[in-house]
């Protein structure tokens, strides 16, 4: 548990002064609470028998003051603990978000989106809960336990030995169960990942589920995942609940022996009767301390599992490792040289696969573009078209070969420097719940004139101007209140507004009719001549006017040239053209 808790202690270190203040205040409050039974015992055994009313009032006021003192300090300590815990969880979530945004493509694929969501929500909450308890219960519970034992030893050694004999058994059970709880809670969080994944799939694809009348099927699928999580959670709760009844039984048995032997010692004149009452109170405090330890270990078991999952993400591979490769002289603006790439990790028996090499998404791809040139990429689904863009924008690094922009390897650019060259529209791109204006500007502080030009070139001005609020019209999440064609034109406007050096359009006109698609491409060609265009499409009509066309199949380039050249040299391209134009 210690190694896994390092992450929590690392984040707490930033607030060490505030944390120590909360612990110190809690310590004083707990010590005040421990003094109450002793004061009560002194009053019963010595003050009351003296029949001195003034002494009774004085000690009564002392006990009242100690109670108020205890209450106020405990409240102050709890508030500080809650505040510090929220600050730590704030930092954890912030770092998780930043790291997630910078994860390499392989790392992101490995963790999966649902798992990253649950780590940022459920796991960070478990860490927050642990930090809070480390400042409150981790002080109060041991103090109640040890302080209660010390006070009972001070009052009567013989009765105190009854409790001391039981403590090793109680603490041993708590430790053993807690160690078993960590892997169980890890499994609970993994089951939660599955539940989140299915929920996300259903929320995202709710229209498809309804259209195909598969609501019942999805309910059963969710129920299975939910049931598996519930079983894991119940098992974890059952295991962690074992110490509670055992400790309660032991302490009640000990309490019975204290009453029996205490009464005998009072009868024998070996101790005062007030000590028995004080012992009963201290036993309750000790019980609370042991139960508090149980809660602490339960919380820390959850937090250890969660901290381990969070640390895995924070240690994940970044998507940016800058190199110092020398630039290459030449006229080419973009060049791919013998580039090969495969998604995922190597297949091996350790991961449960049969072994062997990964299937290549790209195999020995080479092409070049000069500034202002255009490239159309066409081919069947899954042939590697989008992968070319993923590598060019360095979402992934190639396994072999080199990719250069303006003679420089893309790995030698700073992230912002490289990404600022691009304006891109991806498949299933994101429209945010915000105004159309903010969706286009996207925090880049682009001038209104440039945005107006981009809207016009994307042929989005007609429908935007027809809206009551124009550019201030509020888009729903994922543009649910816009048609497919409206969303695509809005996304193209976003890409054009920044006047990018490289314009990437990945299947960005699939929802447009041929006339609108042709008009938009014409406007882009005339008004954005400075941009090097890479256009991925399924229609030959969308790419036939490009300076170069690359035909892809199964990760390989099977044709590269102009429309006229490919009609003569590439049978796959010619067949696609004839199929779409006949």
């Amino acid at each position: 548990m210690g190694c896994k808790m390092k992450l929590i202690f690392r984040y707490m270190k930033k607030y060490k002064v505030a944390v120590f203040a909360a612990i110190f205040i809690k310590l004083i409050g707990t010590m005040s609470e421990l003094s109450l039974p002793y004061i009560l015992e002194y009053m019963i055994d010595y003050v009351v028998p003296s029949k001195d009313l003034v002494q009774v009032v004085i000690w009564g006021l002392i006990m009242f003051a100690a109670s108020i003192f205890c209450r106020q300090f405990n409240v102050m300590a709890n508030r500080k603990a809650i505040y510090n815990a929220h600050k730590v969880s704030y930092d954890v979530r912030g770092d998780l978000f930043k790291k997630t945004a910078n994860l390499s493509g392989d790392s992101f694929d490995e963790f999966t989106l649902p798992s990253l969501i649950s780590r940022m929500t459920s796991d960070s909450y478990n860490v927050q809960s642990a930090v809070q308890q480390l400042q409150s219960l981790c002080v109060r519970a041991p103090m109640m336990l040890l302080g209660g034992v010390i006070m009972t030893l001070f009052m009567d050694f013989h009765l105190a030995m009854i409790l001391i004999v039981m403590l090793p058994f109680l603490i041993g059970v708590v430790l053993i169960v807690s160690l078993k709880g960590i892997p169980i809670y890890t499994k609970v969080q993994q089951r939660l990942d599955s539940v989140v994944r299915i929920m996300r799939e259903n929320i995202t694809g709710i229209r498809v589920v309804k259209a195909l009348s598969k609501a019942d099927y999805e309910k059963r699928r969710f129920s299975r995942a939910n049931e598996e999580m519930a079983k894991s959670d119940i098992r974890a709760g059952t295991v962690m609940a074992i110490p509670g009844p055992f400790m309660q039984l032991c302490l009640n048995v000990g309490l019975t022996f204290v009453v029996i032997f205490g009464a005998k010692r009072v009868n024998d004149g070996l101790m005062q009767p007030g000590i028995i009452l004080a012992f009963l109170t201290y036993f309750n405090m000790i019980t609370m301390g042991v139960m508090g330890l149980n809660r602490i270990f339960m919380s820390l078991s959850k937090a250890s599992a969660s901290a381990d999952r969070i640390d895995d993400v924070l240690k994940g591979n970044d998507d940016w490792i800058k190199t110092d490769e020398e630039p290459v002289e030449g006229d080419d603006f973009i060049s791919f040289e013998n580039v090969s790439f495969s998604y995922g990790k190597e297949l091996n028996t350790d991961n449960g696969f049969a072994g062997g090499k990964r299937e290549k998404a790209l195999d020995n791809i080479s092409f070049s573009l000069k500034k202002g040139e255009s490239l159309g990429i066409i081919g069947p689904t899954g042939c590697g078209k989008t992968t070319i863009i993923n590598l060019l924008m360095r979402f992934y690094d190639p396994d072999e070969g080199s990719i250069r922009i303006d003679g420089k390897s893309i790995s030698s650019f700073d992230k912002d420097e490289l990404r600022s060259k691009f304006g891109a529209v991806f498949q299933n791109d994101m429209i945010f719940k915000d105004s159309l204006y903010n969706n286009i500007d996207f925090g880049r502080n682009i001038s209104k004139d440039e945005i107006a030009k981009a809207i016009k070139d994307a042929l989005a001005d007609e429908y935007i101007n027809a809206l009551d609020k124009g550019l201030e019209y509020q888009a729903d999440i994922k543009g649910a209140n816009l048609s497919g064609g409206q969303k695509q034109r809005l996304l193209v406007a976003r890409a054009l507004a920044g006047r990018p050096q490289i314009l990437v359009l990945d299947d960005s006109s699939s929802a447009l009719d041929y006339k609108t698609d042709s008009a938009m491409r014409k406007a882009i060609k005339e008004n954005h001549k400075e941009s090097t265009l890479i256009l991925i499409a399924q229609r030959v009509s969308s790419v036939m006017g490009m300076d170069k066309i690359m035909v892809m199949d199964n990760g390989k380039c099977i044709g590269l040239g102009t429309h006229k050249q490919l009609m003569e040299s590439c049978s796959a391209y010619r067949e696609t053209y004839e199929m779409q134009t006949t």
Side-chain angles (χ1 to χ4, degrees):
M1 184 185 292
C3 293
K4 297 180 180 181
M5 292 294 289
K6 283 183 180 178
L7 176 130
I8 296 175
F9 294 133
R10 188 168 75 239
Y11 277 92
M12 289 177 67
K13 188 177 180 180
K14 180 179 177 182
Y15 305 101
K16 59 184 177 183
V17 175
V19 168
F20 283 129
I23 291 173
F24 181 71
I25 294 170
K26 193 70 177 180
L27 189 64
I28 295 175
T30 306
M31 290 174 67
S32 301
E33 192 172 353
L34 284 167
S35 70
L36 293 174
Y38 183 82
I39 295 172
L40 180 62
E41 183 269 333
Y42 182 79
M43 289 179 66
I44 292 173
D45 289 341
Y46 300 101
V47 178
V48 174
S50 71
K51 298 182 181 180
D52 186 342
L53 183 59
V54 175
Q55 287 294 314
V56 171
V57 172
I58 290 173
W59 280 98
L61 289 174
I62 291 173
M63 189 170 183
F64 178 75
S67 300
I68 297 298
F69 199 69
C70 165
R71 186 260 180 197
Q72 288 302 112
F73 270 74
N74 280 325
V75 168
M76 287 172 58
N78 289 340
R79 286 178 177 174
K80 283 188 173 291
I82 291 170
Y83 178 80
N84 294 337
H86 277 284
K87 294 296 288 183
V88 168
S89 66
Y90 174 87
D91 291 345
V92 169
R93 286 193 298 270
D95 287 350
L96 265 176
F97 184 84
K98 291 175 187 175
K99 185 64 182 187
T100 300
N102 292 320
L103 281 175
S104 67
D106 284 330
S107 293
F108 198 94
D109 294 343
E110 179 185 353
F111 288 119
T112 75
L113 180 57
S115 180
L116 289 169
I117 291 172
S118 66
R119 291 172 203 234
M120 194 171 295
T121 51
S122 175
D123 286 318
S124 65
Y125 175 78
N126 287 341
V127 168
Q128 176 183 318
S129 178
V131 171
Q132 182 178 333
Q133 293 199 15
L134 280 170
Q135 300 169 82
S136 53
L137 270 180
C138 279
V139 177
R140 178 179 169 80
M143 276 294 294
M144 284 288 190
L145 178 59
L146 296 176
V149 171
I150 291 169
M151 293 300 289
T152 54
L153 281 170
F154 179 74
M155 296 173 75
D156 192 282
F157 177 79
H158 297 87
L159 288 184
M161 288 304 298
I162 297 173
L163 177 63
I164 292 172
V165 169
M166 294 180 179
L167 283 180
F169 297 101
L170 299 177
I171 295 173
V173 170
V174 171
L175 289 174
I176 292 170
V177 171
S178 298
L179 291 173
K180 287 185 175 293
I182 294 172
I184 296 175
Y185 278 118
T186 301
K187 186 169 288 187
V188 171
Q189 294 303 114
Q190 291 170 348
R191 294 282 187 260
L192 178 61
D193 291 346
S194 299
V195 171
V196 172
R197 175 178 55 80
I198 294 173
M199 286 180 65
R200 181 176 177 275
E201 288 172 352
N202 275 268
I203 291 169
T204 305
I206 188 65
R207 294 183 182 180
V208 176
V209 173
K210 289 182 176 180
L212 298 177
S213 299
K214 288 296 181 181
D216 290 338
Y217 169 77
E218 290 299 325
K219 286 177 184 176
R220 289 193 297 271
R221 195 161 73 100
F222 178 80
S223 293
R224 285 194 297 270
N226 197 23
E227 186 178 351
E228 287 178 0
M229 179 186 167
K231 286 180 179 177
S232 297
D233 206 8
I234 290 169
R235 181 166 178 258
T238 302
V239 171
M240 297 307 294
I242 290 172
F246 178 77
M247 288 187 291
Q248 197 70 48
L249 174 64
C250 290
L251 289 168
N252 285 335
V253 170
L255 197 58
T256 303
F257 281 113
V258 165
V259 173
I260 294 171
F261 287 107
K264 185 177 183 304
R265 287 178 63 79
V266 170
N267 287 334
D268 293 341
L270 299 175
M271 60 180 281
Q272 297 290 335
I275 293 178
I276 296 180
L277 182 60
F279 255 79
L280 296 178
T281 308
Y282 279 125
F283 254 67
N284 285 330
M285 288 184 174
I286 292 166
T287 302
M288 291 169 59
V290 176
M291 296 301 291
L293 285 177
N294 185 38
R295 286 176 56 196
I296 290 168
F297 280 108
M298 184 183 294
S299 177
L300 294 185
S301 296
K302 286 184 180 180
S304 294
S306 293
D308 196 32
R309 284 160 50 84
I310 290 171
D311 206 33
D312 284 343
V313 177
L314 296 178
K315 288 179 179 177
N317 293 326
D318 288 336
D319 68 344
W320 216 264
I321 300 175
K322 189 177 177 182
T323 62
D324 296 321
E325 295 184 36
E326 292 294 326
V328 175
E329 296 290 335
D331 297 330
D332 293 332
F333 181 54
I334 297 175
S335 67
F336 273 57
E337 299 174 9
N338 307 117
V339 173
S340 296
F341 173 74
S342 302
Y343 287 102
K345 294 183 175 181
E346 292 287 351
L347 301 182
N348 56 62
T349 53
D350 293 337
N351 291 331
F353 294 100
K357 294 183 178 180
R358 300 172 293 170
E359 184 177 349
K360 288 186 177 181
L362 291 180
D363 188 3
N364 199 33
I365 299 296
S366 297
F367 69 88
S368 62
L369 292 172
K370 293 180 171 57
K371 278 189 177 180
E373 281 191 329
S374 57
L375 171 69
I377 306 176
I378 193 169
T381 301
C383 66
K385 303 186 296 293
T386 299
T387 302
I388 290 175
I389 304 304
N390 287 340
L391 295 180
L392 179 61
M393 297 187 73
R394 211 184 170 199
F395 297 143
Y396 298 86
D397 286 324
D399 299 332
E400 300 173 11
S402 65
I403 303 171
R404 296 183 181 276
I405 294 179
D406 213 8
K408 291 177 62 178
S409 170
I410 58 172
S411 63
S412 65
F413 284 93
D414 290 324
K415 181 185 293 187
D416 292 340
E417 182 186 3
L418 178 65
R419 300 274 166 84
S420 65
K421 296 178 182 292
F422 289 88
V425 180
F426 302 107
Q427 297 179 46
N428 305 315
D429 216 338
M430 188 67 182
I431 292 176
F432 297 88
K433 185 176 175 61
D434 205 338
S435 67
L436 300 186
Y437 183 91
N438 288 338
N439 265 286
I440 295 171
D441 179 59
F442 210 55
R444 294 175 290 178
N445 298 319
I446 298 171
S447 69
K448 291 184 178 180
D449 289 341
E450 288 295 333
I451 287 179
K453 290 176 184 177
I455 291 170
K456 186 175 181 181
D457 292 338
L459 303 186
D461 56 336
E462 182 179 346
Y463 85 81
I464 290 176
N465 292 335
L467 296 170
D468 291 339
K469 297 183 179 180
L471 281 171
E472 295 305 314
Y473 180 79
Q474 294 291 309
D476 286 342
I477 296 173
K478 290 194 172 182
N481 56 344
L482 301 174
S483 71
Q486 289 173 335
K487 286 189 281 188
Q488 287 192 332
R489 283 178 283 173
L490 182 69
L491 292 168
V492 172
R494 178 197 290 170
L496 295 175
R499 289 283 171 179
Q501 295 182 44
I502 304 170
L503 179 62
V504 174
L505 302 177
D506 187 354
D507 203 17
S508 61
S509 60
S510 58
L512 304 180
D513 59 80
Y514 284 91
K515 182 179 178 181
T516 305
D517 181 20
S518 176
M520 185 172 68
R521 281 185 283 105
K522 182 180 178 182
I524 292 172
K525 187 174 183 180
E526 290 177 354
N527 300 325
H528 296 267
K529 294 179 181 179
E530 74 283 0
S531 295
T532 302
L533 173 63
I534 299 178
L535 188 148
I536 296 174
Q538 300 292 338
R539 304 171 183 168
V540 171
S541 61
S542 296
V543 300
M544 58 190 299
M546 302 290 108
D547 296 320
K548 293 181 180 180
I549 303 170
M550 182 161 62
V551 185
M552 298 286 297
D553 185 38
N554 199 27
K556 297 180 180 180
C557 174
I558 60 172
L560 181 64
T562 63
H563 171 71
K564 183 178 179 181
Q565 291 170 339
L566 291 173
M567 287 295 290
E568 296 174 356
S569 63
C570 182
S571 59
Y573 181 82
R574 185 170 59 251
E575 289 172 6
T576 303
Y577 174 78
E578 292 171 351
M579 187 183 303
Q580 292 182 3
T581 55
T582 301

